[in-house]
Amino acid sequence: MYNVALVTEEKCVAKKGCRLCIMYCPEANCLDLNSDKMIAEVHIDRCKGCELCKVVCDAAKHEAIEMVAVNSDGTLMEKAGEAAELGQAYQG
């Protein structure tokens, strides 16, 4: 298992102009603006779990991004406490 970023729609303020997570993500085409919903959207198949988006989002006091654990088959894990430790990105 490894961690990926997940945007909480209700907390994301991309519609107000914030695009910090998209700008600072080092992985191409990982975080994009969903122009229909006007929120940041993570493509979990591209996310490496570096947590840079979470750091900049939290620094801006939005706290709209959390890191969640993903099984090797690409499905998000549901139970609390299953997430990998901070910075344990998949290195496969």
Side-chain angles (χ1 to χ4, degrees):
M1 102 182 106
Y2 59 101
N3 282 340
V4 295
L6 185 65
V7 177
T8 303
E9 291 185 28
E10 298 80 29
K11 293 181 178 180
C12 181
V13 293
K15 60 186 154 283
K16 295 181 180 177
C18 181
R19 308 288 195 289
L20 289 173
C21 59
I22 297 169
M23 291 187 312
Y24 282 92
C25 180
E27 184 67 28
N29 303 317
C30 178
L31 263 162
D32 288 318
L33 179 67
N34 180 325
S35 57
D36 293 332
K37 295 180 179 180
M38 289 305 290
I39 62 165
E41 188 171 69
V42 178
H43 302 283
I44 63 170
D45 57 324
R46 304 226 12 108
C47 183
K48 303 292 191 257
C50 73
E51 301 186 30
L52 190 53
C53 59
K54 179 172 175 43
V55 170
V56 296
C57 187
D58 289 352
K61 306 282 190 242
H62 303 303
E63 299 179 353
I65 299 175
E66 64 179 310
M67 301 306 290
V68 296
V70 175
N71 284 314
S72 59
D73 64 2
T75 59
L76 297 177
M77 298 177 84
E78 295 179 18
K79 288 173 45 182
E82 286 184 314
E85 292 298 318
L86 181 68
Q88 286 186 336
Y90 175 69
Q91 302 292 322

